């Protein structure tokens, strides 16, 4: 089953090929890597989990794509799709922008939550989607994640989240920042029951999301070269008045400095996480 359509109508897009000439291809047929500029068939890219075959760059993924490659086929049931974002601060055009992203992504907000199985083990998952308002965390995002954690606690199953976010959503002000505490409290209650929480940080995971639930997993994992951090590089450099390392705030830098437990290539993520889940659900911490 193809994760997304190969063609997008009959539109054509000019792409520069190796001989320096531009040729027109149906839009969506070819994809250029943003890192190495290698051009590849979109269909082939999808076969390789949306990872560049030349340089290994991990493209951003939609939440539905994550479900397709991570969970057992047909096992996922979404929850809390009925929750709707309001405009508490009457921010200009905010509701219209949210509606446009709902139409574009097929999601009600920047996170998809639900129940599924991973190699036969029941889990609750939350998958953030940076295509929706850059994965920013507003009231509904925080509420959906909190409810998902509470569902996992109720079911006594592991909770797994894929994070991808630009941070707290400025259009909701302090209501957005409150989600940091709300989600963290739910996770503490989950932990108090001896239940597993795995956080999988993908590119980018920044701001209030990185400073709250994304960083407090029992096991913290990342994809290669994912940008992970709180403030931006320039802000930090101006504050500490030092030049930061070139790999600062990459997954590899965090792993070397003890802030991550592992980095897994996307093609290995399902197998490795399933192994960790099974270690903690068969005579492990859940049954103490």
């Amino acid at each position: 089953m193809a994760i997304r359509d190969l063609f997008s109508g009959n539109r054509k897009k000019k792409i520069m090929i190796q001989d320096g000439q531009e040729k027109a291809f149906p839009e969506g047929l070819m994809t250029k890597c943003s890192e190495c500029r290698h051009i590849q068939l979109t269909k082939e890219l999808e076969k390789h989990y949306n990872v560049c075959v030349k340089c290994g760059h991990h493209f951003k993924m939609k939440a539905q794509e994550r479900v397709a490659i991570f969970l057992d086929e047909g096992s996922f049931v979404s929850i809390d799709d009925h929750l709707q974002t309001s405009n508490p601060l009457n921010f200009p055009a905010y509701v219209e922008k949210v509606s446009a992203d709902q139409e574009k992504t097929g999601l009600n907000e920047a996170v998809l939550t639900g129940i599924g199985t991973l190699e036969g083990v029941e889990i609750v998952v939350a998958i953030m989607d940076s295509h929706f308002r850059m994965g920013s965390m507003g009231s509904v995002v925080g509420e959906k994640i909190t409810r998902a954690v509470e569902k996992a606690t109720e079911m006594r199953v592991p909770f797994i989240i894929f994070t991808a976010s630009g941070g707290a959503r400025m259009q909701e002000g302090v209501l957005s920042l409150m989600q940091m505490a709300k989600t963290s409290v739910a996770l503490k209650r989950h932990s108090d029951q001896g239940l597993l929480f795995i956080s999988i940080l993908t590119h980018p995971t920044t701001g209030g999301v990185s400073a709250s639930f994304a960083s407090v997993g029992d096991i913290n994992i990342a994809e290669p070269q994912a940008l992970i951090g709180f403030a931006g590089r320039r802000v930090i450099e101006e504050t500490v008045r030092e030049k930061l390392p070139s790999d600062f705030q990459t997954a590899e830098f965090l792993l070397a400095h003890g802030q991550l437990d592992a980095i897994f290539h996307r093609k290995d993520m399902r197998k490795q996480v399933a192994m960790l889940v099974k270690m903690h659900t068969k005579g492990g911490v859940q049954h103490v």
Side-chain angles (χ1 to χ4, degrees), residues 72-92:
D72 297 343
E73 185 175 0
S75 70
F76 180 73
V77 178
S78 63
I79 58 177
D80 295 318
D81 294 329
H82 65 285
L83 298 179
Q84 292 295 318
T85 297
S86 62
N87 191 2
L89 303 183
N90 294 318
F91 205 92

Side-chain angles (χ1 to χ4, degrees), residues 58-179:
H58 284 51
F59 285 74
K60 295 178 183 179
M61 295 191 77
K62 296 178 180 178
Q64 298 92 333
E65 293 174 329
R66 293 265 182 205
V67 168
I69 68 170
F70 185 69
L71 296 175
D72 297 343
E73 185 175 0
S75 70
F76 180 73
V77 178
S78 63
I79 58 177
D80 295 318
D81 294 329
H82 65 285
L83 298 179
Q84 292 295 318
T85 297
S86 62
N87 191 2
L89 303 183
N90 294 318
F91 205 92
Y94 177 44
V95 172
E96 290 77 10
K97 289 178 180 178
V98 169
S99 297
D101 278 2
Q102 289 174 336
E103 181 70 22
K104 179 178 68 175
T105 64
L107 303 173
N108 68 321
E109 250 297 348
V111 65
L112 177 65
T113 57
I115 303 165
T117 60
L118 177 61
E119 293 194 0
V121 180
E122 195 167 35
I123 61 172
V124 175
V125 294
I127 305 173
M128 303 189 76
D129 194 327
S130 61
H131 298 89
F132 195 117
R133 299 284 91 205
M134 195 49 206
S136 55
M137 179 174 61
S139 300
V140 171
V141 169
E143 181 68 15
K144 289 189 71 174
I145 292 172
T146 299
R147 291 190 184 194
V149 175
E150 291 173 344
K151 174 61 72 173
T153 306
E154 175 190 332
M155 296 173 61
R156 297 193 61 77
V157 300
F159 175 68
I160 299 175
I161 188 167
F162 287 84
T163 64
S165 178
R169 190 171 296 178
M170 57 176 274
Q171 292 91 343
E172 296 186 29
V174 72
L175 295 176
S176 176
L177 297 176
M178 288 169 59
Q179 309 310 310

Side-chain angles (χ1 to χ4, degrees), residues 203-207 210 224-260 263:
H203 180 83
T205 297
T206 60
S210 71
Q225 290 297 314
L227 171 65
I228 303 166
F230 183 62
R233 168 185 287 269
R234 185 173 63 181
V235 172
I236 297 174
E237 286 183 335
E238 290 178 354
T239 301
V240 301
R241 301 184 184 281
E242 291 182 15
K243 184 70 175 177
L244 298 171
S246 59
D247 64 345
F248 181 69
Q249 292 185 326
T250 63
E252 289 72 16
F253 182 90
L254 269 64
L255 180 65
H257 289 80
Q259 291 182 271
L260 287 175
I263 297 174

